[in-house]
């Protein structure tokens, strides 16, 4: 079969192994790295990859051939945990943060997430759409082709629905593919202060069934944290969500370890997020239950903490991990997954291969898109990130600089030399 598009002579092509499950522990050390590599694309899908001169049978009269000396290619990067849609921003809290006021204290004072809730409730659909589109543009320019996006700055049906509608509209309109998560349990809304169980009942009885009915989200998530929702409350919400057919995520062990990880393991959550304070026991439970650890080192950086999630311990225990931005206006205002990947090396001592596996194949499993993306296996969508780098170590070593040269989405050139096509 001949290719529509043949990208040849990459210095290296990074090919993660899709073993039919996320890469666990030592499996994350392995990948195929094709020297002088090529990628053949047909009908927007991967037809073949290989080294050296492509087989003549791939080349027909209409095959477009492009050469990439001095560049590397990876499967399109996947940002599997973001709070993409929100009103306003939080630089007005930056001085407090720099003065050392803790994140949870700012929240307890009615700021933090609750400040973004006020701004989001006031924002129109158009305003939220435009702001989120801009963030997605930044992400695409950094080589990201799939993004998970959560609601959670409405905390009332009308605003939560507006956020999910923005995700749906952008999934249709933007080159980036979106995966939607319902997270009305991101904080206790001011009108329910001191009545968190009642708020959770409202979510379970009124919101979740509508999200399901209107097919607005695939995952359900909750912030299990001291002063926000307890482990028992998280268990209550997520078990109901599971009964209704949602896949599960949980923000756990971010600032304090209060049992969210046990809930993730018990209920078979797809992933547990953050895990900065994960304990040995929690790590063992997640490894056994095959809960993916979505790690967010730029949040640790932005919270100015030194407690990076113990990624190496997790791999030793046999866990699968990903790296992701957490892009949000408070604990992590960034859209740069490459920086997060570099923090994975610098602050967590992951290797470049482990990091690249984390943001491709493992992130694909984390957003339940493993059948379509995350590797260069034949038949997968031709999402390709091309970096201005001599080898796969280089973009992890040369930090805080956007090295994206081009991005292909489903075989179509969407970023060229720093610009959206
Ligand atoms: O993942 N931890 C809870 N939620 C977000 C922060 C959201 C915010 O600060 O606006 C997080 O860090
Ligand atoms: Fe988050």
């Amino acid at each position: 079969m001949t290719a529509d598009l043949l990208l040849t002579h990459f210095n290296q092509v990074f090919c993660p192994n899709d073993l039919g499950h996320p890469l666990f522990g030592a499996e994350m050390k392995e990948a195929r790295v094709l020297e002088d590599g090529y990628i053949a694309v047909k009908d927007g899908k991967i037809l073949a990859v290989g080294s050296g001169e492509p087989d003549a049978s791939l080349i027909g009269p209409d095959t477009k051939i492009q050469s990439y000396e001095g560049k590397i290619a990876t499967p399109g990067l996947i940002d599997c945990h973001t709070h993409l849609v929100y009103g306003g921003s939080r630089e007005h809290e930056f001085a407090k943060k720099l003065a050392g006021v803790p994140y949870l204290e700012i929240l307890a004072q009615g700021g933090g997430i609750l400040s973004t809730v006020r701004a989001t409730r006031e924002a129109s659909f158009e305003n939220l759409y435009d702001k989120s589109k801009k963030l997605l543009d930044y992400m695409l320019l950094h080589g990201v082709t799939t993004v998970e996006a959560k609601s959670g700055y409405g905390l009332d049906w009308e605003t939560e629905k507006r956020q999910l509608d923005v995700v749906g509209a952008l999934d249709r309109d933007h080159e980036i593919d979106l995966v939607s998560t319902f997270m009305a349990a991101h904080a206790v809304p001011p009108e329910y202060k001191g009545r968190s169980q009642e708020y959770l009942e409202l979510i379970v009885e009124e919101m979740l069934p509508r999200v399901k009915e209107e097919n607005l989200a695939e995952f359900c998530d909750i912030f299990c944290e001291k002063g926000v929702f307890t482990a028992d409350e998280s268990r209550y919400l997520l078990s109901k969500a599971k009964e209704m057919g949602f896949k599960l995520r949980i923000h756990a062990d971010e600032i304090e370890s209060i049992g969210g990880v046990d809930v993730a393991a018990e209920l078979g959550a797809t992933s547990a997020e953050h895990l900065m304070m994960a304990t040995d026991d929690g790590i063992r439970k997640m490894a056994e239950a095959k809960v993916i650890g979505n790690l967010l080192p730029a949040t640790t950086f932005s919270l100015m903490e030194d407690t990076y999630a113990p990624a190496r311990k997790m791999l030793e225990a046999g866990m699968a991990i990903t790296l992701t931005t957490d892009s949000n206006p408070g604990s992590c205002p960034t859209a740069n997954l490459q920086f997060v990947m570099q923090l994975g090396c610098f602050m967590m001592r992951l290797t470049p291969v482990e990091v690249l596996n984390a943001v491709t194949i493992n992130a694909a499993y984390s957003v339940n898109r493993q059948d379509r993306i995350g590797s260069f296996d034949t038949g997968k969508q031709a999402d390709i990130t091309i970096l201005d780098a001599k080898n796969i170590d280089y973009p992890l070593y040369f930090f805080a600089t956007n090295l994206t040269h081009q991005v292909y989405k489903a075989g179509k050139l969407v970023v060229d030399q720093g610009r959206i096509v």
Side-chain angles (χ1 to χ4, degrees):
M1 204 190 289
T2 61
D4 304 328
L5 184 65
L6 196 47
L7 314 178
T8 64
H9 299 300
F10 286 103
N11 278 29
Q12 293 186 325
V13 176
F14 179 78
C15 301
N17 296 318
D18 185 350
L19 304 178
H21 56 72
L23 300 177
F24 294 109
E27 290 171 346
M28 290 191 73
K29 286 192 197 351
E30 308 292 332
R32 273 199 308 157
V33 180
L34 305 172
E35 304 291 332
D36 188 21
Y38 67 82
I39 304 170
V41 176
K42 174 91 177 166
D43 297 331
K45 297 193 169 133
I46 301 296
L47 178 61
V49 293
S51 271
E53 288 306 324
D55 199 277
S57 66
L58 291 170
I59 305 170
D62 298 325
T63 305
K64 198 177 152 222
I65 304 177
Q66 177 96 38
S67 186
Y68 285 93
E69 280 97 358
K71 308 282 189 274
I72 65 159
T74 73
L77 307 180
I78 301 166
D79 196 344
C80 62
H81 176 142
T82 83
H83 303 257
L84 180 78
V85 185
Y86 55 84
S89 54
R90 300 236 286 277
E91 66 280 11
H92 58 274
E93 292 174 355
F94 196 38
K96 261 193 195 173
K97 180 170 161 174
L98 290 173
V101 184
Y103 178 79
L104 290 178
E105 194 174 315
I106 296 177
L107 177 62
Q109 291 169 1
I113 294 174
L114 293 176
S115 139
T116 301
V117 168
R118 287 188 290 278
T120 309
R121 286 178 175 181
E122 278 166 23
S124 65
F125 176 91
E126 289 71 26
N127 177 279
L128 294 176
Y129 179 97
D130 291 345
K131 276 173 65 85
S132 311
K133 179 182 175 299
K134 191 169 169 178
L135 272 173
L136 286 180
D137 286 348
Y138 288 144
M139 290 174 179
L140 187 64
L141 288 166
H142 284 87
V144 171
T145 51
T146 301
V147 168
E148 183 260 13
K150 302 171 199 297
S151 69
Y153 291 121
L155 315 183
D156 61 27
W157 171 249
E158 198 192 319
T159 318
E160 290 288 317
K161 157 119 170 89
R162 192 153 71 246
Q163 285 189 276
L164 295 174
D165 284 342
V166 167
V167 175
L170 284 168
D171 183 38
R172 286 188 293 277
D173 300 349
H174 200 277
E175 298 296 353
I176 288 184
D177 286 328
L178 290 167
V179 177
S180 183
T181 296
F182 178 58
M183 199 182 177
H186 193 195
V188 181
E191 29 329 337
Y192 280 84
K193 201 168 179 198
R195 298 186 292 137
S196 50
Q197 180 60 28
E198 265 176 68
Y199 177 56
L200 291 174
E201 281 162 18
L202 176 79
I203 297 178
V204 166
E205 281 154 30
E206 292 179 27
M207 299 194 204
L208 273 175
R210 295 182 71 174
V211 174
K212 195 76 212 163
E213 221 173 85
E214 298 179 39
N215 198 18
L216 297 173
E218 199 170 324
F219 287 87
C220 182
D221 196 344
I222 184 168
F223 189 15
C224 181
E225 185 59 63
K226 190 173 166 211
V228 191
F229 294 104
T230 64
D232 281 340
E233 289 172 330
S234 304
R235 186 177 287 107
Y236 165 72
L237 174 70
L238 293 183
S239 57
K240 294 289 181 190
K242 186 175 175 177
E243 281 168 24
M244 289 184 222
F246 288 92
K247 295 189 180 303
L248 310 180
R249 304 190 178 290
I250 182 167
H251 281 61
D253 288 5
E254 178 177 357
I255 297 159
E256 301 217 6
S257 183
I258 63 160
V261 160
D262 298 69
V263 177
E266 270 166 51
L267 296 178
T270 302
S271 62
E273 332 285 300
H274 287 289
L275 306 176
M276 280 156 63
M277 308 310 284
T279 61
D280 292 352
D281 183 54
I283 291 171
R284 188 182 49 76
K285 285 181 177 149
M286 286 186 284
E288 269 169 20
K290 301 194 172 4
V291 175
I292 299 173
N294 285 338
L295 310 185
L296 309 110
T299 306
T300 319
F301 171 83
S302 163
L303 291 175
M304 295 180 277
E305 303 287 353
D306 50 16
T307 44
Y308 286 83
R312 288 247 62 93
K313 254 192 188 180
M314 291 175 179
L315 293 186
E316 275 156 33
M319 274 181 73
I321 61 166
T322 75
L323 292 168
T324 166
T325 58
D326 198 20
S327 185
N328 73 64
S331 70
C332 201
T334 184
N336 184 348
L337 185 61
Q338 288 178 40
F339 179 57
V340 171
M341 293 159 62
Q342 291 147 3
L343 288 176
C345 289
F346 283 92
M347 306 312 293
M348 295 170 152
R349 305 299 171 110
L350 296 171
T351 67
V353 169
E354 287 166 339
V355 166
L356 290 167
N357 279 326
V359 295
T360 56
I361 189 65
N362 275 11
Y365 276 92
S366 159
V367 295
N368 192 32
R369 293 289 181 278
Q370 61 277 4
D371 293 342
R372 219 184 294 168
I373 54 173
S375 71
F376 284 139
D377 288 283
T378 302
K380 284 205 183 177
Q381 191 165 285
D383 291 1
I384 306 167
T385 295
I386 299 170
L387 300 175
D388 188 15
K390 302 187 284 264
N391 52 53
I392 62 162
D393 291 344
Y394 189 87
L396 283 312
Y397 138 92
F398 197 87
F399 67 91
T401 306
N402 185 6
L403 295 173
T404 309
H405 171 66
Q406 289 183 334
V407 179
Y408 284 88
K409 182 70 190 171
K412 181 177 140 206
L413 185 68
V414 292
V415 171
D416 190 17
Q417 317 216 23
R419 282 172 188 272
I420 293 179
V421 177

